[in-house]
Amino acid sequence: MLQFLLQQVTFISDAINWQQALIQFEYSDIYHSFEYVYLEAQRLDGAPKLLVINMPTGMIGLVMIFKKIPNEPRFFDATSVYGYNGILTTSKLTTTDFNKGIEEIKNSLKQRGCVSFFNRESNFTARRLPEAKETGKVLGVDLEQTPEDYEKSLAEGHRQEIKALRKLNYKVIQSSDTEVTESFFEVYKQTMLRRSATPNYFFSVHYFSTILKIKSSNPILRVVYDEGKMIAGAIFITQGNHMYYMFSGSILNITPYPAIKLIIDEVIRENLQTGKKLLLLGGGLGGKEDGLYKFKYGFGKIVLPFHTTQWILLPDVYQRLSAPITKEGEFFPKYRLI
């Protein structure tokens, strides 16, 4: 088993040591896996890193992507993957050692020239970073409930439209064939364009194909066709006793009702009382309680907080880089608006 020096931060960037480190933690999922972090690093033009520190009572792990800052060869910044990048810990780690370990990680990043770090927290890891703040809500569906209770919890509009789609003989198909994945990519892209989504919500067909090959996360792609044309699709993954609704898209004005509702409903019904606890649907675009949020709320009334963490590790450099930005807003780090 991979060994770590006491109270010294180790930076891991290769798949073998990464996997050996992950198995030592109490919990990890797709958002901590080397395959997914490497994929995200390619998308963001960065370098995948797993930071591990061994404290007297246990270990801490933190996944991030190092990104170069244009025209600043001495400095870089770091961000989490798209998704829920919770901090990793071992079960016997004390609060004192946890806090000391986080400070050691910060100091190590400072020494390397890391200006800032942005992290999206997880609701499934045992701890959050000390500075984490609630910045939105995410929604879930209770998979331990009975089919009868689930039926009652469905929004009336969802229930009626799902029944109507079934009467029209629309079928949900599971596939990860190249042609199906390519069609899903087009459907997803059209959906994001329709929602005026920001660039960080757009992904390549290679991105989706790679996720469907991360077998440890049990990925599935479910789709619906109308006369040979894909009209809706969604990617789900399963991690232990919970599931993630990762990506979805649909074409409007083909069916009388949104076919994506049929996909979500079928996946929920298949996984009720099977030993899984929760299907995490996510929230609205940018964490807002928008139409997408209300759509998801119609399936499950479990509302969970969504936390993010912002570290400014080199304040003087951060202020210098951000000085040209006069626009006010919540974007972090501010200097990335240039």
Side-chain angles (χ1 to χ4, degrees):
M1 182 176 290
L2 188 63
Q3 299 294 317
F4 299 95
L5 296 175
L6 192 63
Q7 293 182 246
Q8 180 175 314
V9 180
T10 301
F11 291 73
I12 300 173
S13 56
D14 66 287
I16 294 175
N17 285 323
W18 192 299
Q19 181 57 31
Q20 289 183 3
L22 282 188
I23 62 177
Q24 299 186 53
F25 292 106
E26 187 176 15
Y27 172 88
S28 66
D29 60 31
I30 189 173
Y31 299 110
H32 308 101
S33 69
F34 177 81
E35 297 97 326
Y36 185 71
V37 182
Y38 180 77
L39 179 66
E40 276 286 274
Q42 286 183 309
R43 182 175 72 90
L44 298 173
D45 192 24
K49 300 290 179 180
L50 169 58
L51 280 60
V52 178
I53 185 166
N54 185 21
M55 301 299 291
T57 59
M59 291 168 50
I60 302 169
L62 185 57
V63 168
M64 58 182 68
I65 296 169
F66 287 4
K67 297 174 61 182
K68 295 178 181 178
I69 300 174
N71 303 315
E72 294 288 341
R74 292 175 51 208
F75 302 109
F76 66 95
D77 56 24
T79 187
S80 65
V81 297
Y82 175 83
Y84 307 98
N85 184 57
I87 189 161
L88 306 169
T89 54
T90 51
S91 60
K92 295 182 180 180
L93 182 72
T94 64
T95 300
T96 298
D97 276 354
F98 175 72
N99 290 332
K100 287 181 179 178
I102 295 301
E103 289 306 310
E104 289 296 329
I105 288 174
K106 286 182 179 180
N107 289 333
S108 187
L109 286 168
K110 289 178 188 178
Q111 292 169 11
R112 286 176 173 248
C114 185
V115 178
S116 65
F117 171 57
F118 174 76
N119 193 56
R120 300 173 181 89
E121 303 284 340
S122 168
N123 283 298
F124 300 119
T125 51
R127 301 176 190 256
R128 296 191 185 102
L129 290 172
E131 301 88 348
K133 294 182 179 180
E134 184 176 332
T135 53
K137 303 287 186 183
V138 290
L139 300 163
V141 179
D142 177 10
L143 296 178
E144 296 182 299
Q145 66 184 317
T146 65
E148 292 76 19
D149 286 339
Y150 165 65
E151 184 74 23
K152 292 176 184 176
S153 72
L154 269 174
E156 182 62 26
H158 282 18
R159 184 184 303 112
Q160 296 302 323
E161 290 180 0
I162 290 165
K163 287 181 179 178
L165 287 164
R166 286 204 173 93
K167 287 181 179 179
L168 292 170
N169 290 320
Y170 284 102
K171 305 294 182 184
V172 178
I173 300 168
Q174 179 173 326
S175 176
S176 58
D177 291 345
T178 300
E179 184 178 342
V180 176
T181 306
E182 290 174 352
S183 295
F184 171 71
F185 162 72
E186 292 297 334
V187 169
Y188 177 85
K189 183 173 68 174
Q190 290 183 46
T191 303
M192 292 302 104
L193 290 170
R194 187 174 70 242
R195 292 176 179 163
S196 300
T198 54
N200 60 301
Y201 284 98
F202 287 82
F203 304 89
S204 67
V205 65
H206 168 73
Y207 189 95
F208 293 133
S209 297
T210 303
I211 287 175
L212 292 170
K213 293 174 184 175
I214 304 177
K215 299 305 180 186
S216 60
S217 299
N218 301 299
I220 59 171
L221 171 59
R222 294 292 181 87
V223 298
V224 174
Y225 285 87
D226 180 84
E227 296 183 355
K229 180 180 180 181
M230 186 183 296
I231 56 172
I235 294 175
F236 299 81
I237 64 165
T238 301
Q239 294 284 170
N241 57 17
H242 65 265
M243 301 181 68
Y244 289 108
Y245 172 59
M246 287 192 80
F247 302 99
S248 69
S250 59
I251 304 299
L252 298 182
N253 304 319
I254 301 293
T255 59
Y257 312 108
I260 191 65
K261 291 185 178 182
L262 191 61
I263 294 175
I264 299 173
D265 179 71
E266 186 157 314
V267 170
I268 291 171
R269 291 181 188 275
E270 286 177 1
N271 288 281
L272 290 173
Q273 298 186 311
T274 59
K276 301 180 183 70
K277 290 185 177 181
L278 186 76
L279 167 62
L280 192 66
L281 296 173
L285 286 175
K288 298 177 181 178
E289 295 185 21
D290 53 10
L292 179 60
Y293 178 95
K294 293 175 182 177
F295 168 82
K296 293 174 179 178
Y297 187 78
F299 285 98
K301 305 301 187 290
I302 295 178
V303 181
L304 300 171
F306 175 61
H307 291 80
T308 58
T309 301
Q310 300 177 2
W311 286 349
I312 297 177
L313 299 167
L314 298 174
D316 291 344
V317 179
Y318 186 92
Q319 291 301 325
R320 175 174 64 80
L321 295 175
S322 300
I325 307 299
T326 57
K327 181 181 178 181
E328 294 298 324
E330 298 179 356
F331 190 86
F332 183 87
K334 188 175 182 179
Y335 54 81
R336 284 287 180 181
L337 288 172
I338 296 177

